[in-house]
Amino acid sequence: MRKTEHGQQPPDIHIVVENFGPIEKAEIDLRPLTVFVGESNTGKTYLSALIYALYQSFEGFSQFPWASKAASYLRFTYRSRNQSVGIQEQVDLQVETLEMLEKLNTHGRPFTFSDLPDRMRSWLESDLKKPTAFEDELQRCFDLESTSELIRFTDGTWNELKVSLNVREGDRLLWSFDIMHDSDSNSTVDGFINKDIVLKPGNGEGPEETLDFEDLMRLFRVYRWEVPQSYYLPAARGGIVQSRRVIASSLIDRVHRISLETLPEIRAFSGVIADFLKQIINYKERSKSSDRILEIAEALEANVLHGEIRVSEPAGGFPEFRYHPRKAERSLSMSRSSSMVSELAPLVLFLRGVIQPGDTLIIEEPEAHLHPGAQTTIALILTGLVRAGVRVIITTHSDWLLEQIGNLVREGEVMKQGNNKTESAAWLTKEEVGAWWFRTDKPVQEIPFEHISGIEPKEYGEVAEKLYNRSVDLRTQLEEATGGTEVEQE
């Protein structure tokens, strides 16, 4: 399992859904590389967007929810001079601050979630039991008027939608969120935060440095509670990139020409597409980025695109993206580039200017418009991101991509045994990969890794076998019709 920049292992994420869109039931563990595969219209995109909505709603999957927001709350309430409270409450806040710092500096004693002030813990725990924020984010991500529209409808009856999120560290539950929603828009929510979560371990050896309020802030913001980001690359992203300037210009023009009262009537993008579009329209490459992720972007350009994605900022204010083929004198606009280039260009851009170690990247069909050889190379790119500390979630229909991921897991398993004959830069372990099989009107099923079959769903083998048997039958008929020797049945 990968670790964060500060050596901390990220928590384990377990998600259960029932009657969610096309999905009857799914029970998913997010791994460093999570793969959704199966028939179309079975819920792969629905579950991907749900994960994104959960991530956005709780500011990531940290050791407790809203860690960054909690740090801001702590700073404002206990550090700043809050003129909106009375004198007695200011005194109470000062007393709580001193008690908190005393616990933080008790030699040999860990500082836990229960050591935070009661009012702060109550605020977090009460917010965890409110459905509004999550349901608003869910409606935004799916562009819906009501969460009820996501409930699975079968046999003339409405079911009850259920979503459960558990965040664990080994066998210990850190926090959880559960929501049930019926067709009448009634919601039942439950949430839990483990009071024994350790923010700072106790050190029983030698003298300890006295910590102050700013050190406490760093426990949230830098050392352990650094909030990663989540990004979503939707399907048909190439078309979105090509039309970004028209979309932005049209929206600006409409804002100038219409009254504010009519704005709610404008049909919105889904949240996942809107967030992606904002990243593209406001794109700027980082001055400081992860060297490892930059190397992955360069490998993608060199080995798949066979050229570079170049960015310029014309006078109009919107960044211009162009493709410069290897050894060519001139670059091409995205509209004149191949579908492969326009689909992969956003991934290159996100790797160069957006994604950082610790982030989560969700990609719908990364193999879109790629020939088989390039699809296998994409598996190497995804593996490189896992090695760089990025959590990757993909949806796919590609047999070639799954075959290559299976080989990379086999490579990792050979390395575990110490019997690898060649030194490989790309490898995965079976613990790092989770593959789930989506089918119509059936629960989502995990595909366990096997040395022979890898992580392919059974239906892929069945399709291949039918094609092979049909080809043998037709070849036999052709041989008989032309007077040749009957093809040996294999």
Side-chain angles (χ1 to χ4, degrees):
M1 184 72 71
R2 82 199 192 292
K3 294 186 177 182
T4 65
E5 181 181 351
H6 303 290
Q8 298 291 333
Q9 183 167 299
D12 299 320
I13 313 301
H14 185 72
I15 298 171
V16 179
V17 301
E18 294 183 24
N19 302 317
F20 186 83
I23 303 171
E24 175 185 329
K25 183 174 182 179
E27 192 165 347
I28 303 295
D29 292 312
L30 293 188
R31 310 279 170 76
L33 176 59
T34 302
V35 181
F36 296 159
V37 61
E39 302 170 26
S40 299
N41 301 319
T42 52
K44 298 186 296 297
T45 296
Y46 272 77
L47 190 52
S48 299
L50 169 64
I51 293 169
Y52 183 76
L54 286 167
Y55 208 106
Q56 298 299 108
S57 182
F58 294 109
E59 295 185 343
F61 301 136
S62 299
Q63 272 75 2
F64 70 81
W66 304 298
S68 179
K69 189 187 299 183
S72 299
Y73 174 92
L74 196 64
R75 179 181 294 278
F76 175 78
T77 305
Y78 294 93
R79 189 64 167 175
S80 63
R81 294 184 178 275
N82 191 344
Q83 302 298 327
S84 63
V85 301
I87 294 177
Q88 183 57 50
E89 188 168 357
Q90 290 186 34
V91 172
D92 292 342
L93 290 174
Q94 290 176 0
V95 171
E96 289 178 355
T97 302
L98 291 174
E99 290 177 349
M100 182 169 50
L101 292 176
E102 181 181 358
K103 293 175 182 177
L104 180 66
N105 285 289
T106 300
H107 185 67
R109 178 186 183 279
F111 186 80
T112 67
F113 183 79
S114 62
D115 293 324
L116 295 171
D118 289 344
R119 70 183 72 199
M120 178 180 175
R121 289 188 285 108
S122 297
W123 165 68
L124 284 169
E125 290 166 346
S126 63
D127 268 21
L128 193 58
K129 297 181 180 182
K130 294 177 182 177
T132 308
F134 171 67
E135 291 195 336
D136 286 349
E137 183 61 27
L138 202 60
Q139 291 167 26
R140 185 189 77 88
C141 284
F142 285 88
D143 186 27
L144 300 173
E145 295 295 328
S146 169
T147 307
S148 301
E149 298 178 56
L150 288 169
I151 298 177
R152 186 169 180 263
F153 181 80
T154 57
D155 299 326
T157 59
W158 288 98
N159 297 292
E160 188 174 55
L161 180 153
K162 298 180 182 179
V163 176
S164 175
L165 168 67
N166 286 344
V167 180
R168 294 181 174 274
E169 197 169 59
D171 295 332
R172 181 175 61 167
L173 178 63
L174 299 178
W175 62 278
S176 64
F177 171 78
D178 299 273
I179 184 170
M180 293 183 291
H181 190 100
D182 63 26
S183 58
D184 295 322
S185 297
N186 299 315
S187 297
T188 303
V189 177
D190 192 18
F192 165 79
I193 302 178
N194 190 331
K195 63 182 179 62
D196 295 324
I197 296 173
V198 176
L199 278 71
K200 177 185 176 296
N203 182 8
E205 299 180 2
E208 287 189 348
E209 180 184 358
T210 300
L211 303 178
D212 60 15
F213 196 90
E214 294 304 318
D215 295 313
L216 182 60
M217 290 298 94
R218 282 191 283 273
L219 290 179
F220 285 86
R221 291 183 178 274
V222 179
Y223 172 61
R224 190 173 176 82
W225 313 107
E226 189 173 32
V227 178
Q229 300 297 316
S230 175
Y231 301 100
Y232 198 113
L233 298 188
R237 49 195 166 268
I240 297 172
V241 170
Q242 291 186 34
S243 58
R244 72 199 180 282
R245 297 183 69 181
V246 175
I247 293 171
S249 299
S250 297
L251 290 176
I252 292 171
D253 185 53
R254 292 196 69 173
V255 169
H256 281 296
R257 289 187 290 106
I258 62 179
S259 64
L260 292 177
E261 287 76 11
T262 62
L263 280 173
E265 299 176 5
I266 300 176
R267 189 63 180 174
F269 291 111
S270 69
V272 292
I273 292 179
D275 291 351
F276 170 74
L277 189 55
K278 282 191 291 185
Q279 289 286 348
I280 293 297
I281 291 175
N282 300 317
Y283 184 81
K284 288 186 178 179
E285 294 189 353
R286 294 176 184 265
S287 57
K288 293 183 179 179
S289 190
S290 164
D291 290 339
R292 294 182 67 182
I293 295 180
L294 286 176
E295 289 173 0
I296 296 168
E298 291 171 359
L300 179 58
E301 289 178 302
N303 300 327
V304 181
L305 295 177
H306 304 294
E308 299 177 357
I309 303 299
R310 296 185 176 180
V311 183
S312 61
E313 295 189 16
F318 302 121
E320 177 71 24
F321 308 119
R322 299 181 69 85
Y323 169 61
H324 191 92
R326 186 184 300 163
K327 298 182 180 180
E329 295 183 0
R330 296 183 180 180
S331 59
L332 304 174
S333 65
M334 286 291 110
S335 61
R336 292 181 56 203
S337 302
S338 71
S339 56
M340 176 198 71
V341 170
S342 59
E343 286 295 310
L344 286 181
L347 178 55
V348 173
L349 295 171
F350 270 59
L351 295 182
R352 288 208 314 234
V354 180
I355 301 296
Q356 292 291 298
D359 289 343
T360 293
L361 177 61
I362 303 171
I363 314 175
E364 288 189 57
E365 299 178 17
E367 76 278 4
H369 302 290
L370 302 186
H371 66 80
Q375 292 180 35
T376 63
T377 303
I378 287 295
L380 302 178
I381 298 297
L382 301 178
T383 301
L385 288 174
V386 170
R387 298 270 70 81
V390 178
R391 190 194 296 270
V392 180
I393 301 169
I394 66 168
T395 69
T396 184
H397 295 284
S398 171
D399 184 32
W400 306 99
L401 182 61
L402 294 176
E403 281 275 11
Q404 181 72 307
I405 292 174
N407 278 338
L408 292 167
V409 175
R410 293 182 184 99
E411 183 84 36
E413 294 304 298
V414 170
M415 290 179 64
K416 282 183 183 180
Q417 305 301 320
N419 297 326
N420 49 311
K421 298 179 180 179
T422 59
E423 191 69 27
S424 175
W427 50 272
L428 296 163
T429 66
K430 62 182 180 181
E431 292 81 15
E432 291 177 316
V433 180
W436 276 268
W437 185 14
F438 288 68
R439 291 173 291 172
T440 303
D441 295 329
K442 292 182 180 179
V444 176
Q445 179 182 348
E446 183 174 2
I447 307 172
F449 170 77
E450 296 180 0
H451 292 164
I452 296 176
S453 59
I455 58 170
E456 287 191 8
K458 295 179 181 178
E459 63 182 13
Y460 280 28
E462 293 170 356
V463 171
E465 184 177 1
K466 287 180 181 179
L467 284 172
Y468 175 76
N469 289 338
R470 182 58 176 161
S471 71
V472 170
D473 181 58
L474 291 171
R475 282 154 45 198
T476 300
Q477 294 182 44
L478 286 171
E479 289 287 342
E480 291 175 347
T482 57
T485 304
E486 183 176 333
V487 176
E488 180 181 353
Q489 298 292 327
E490 299 183 31

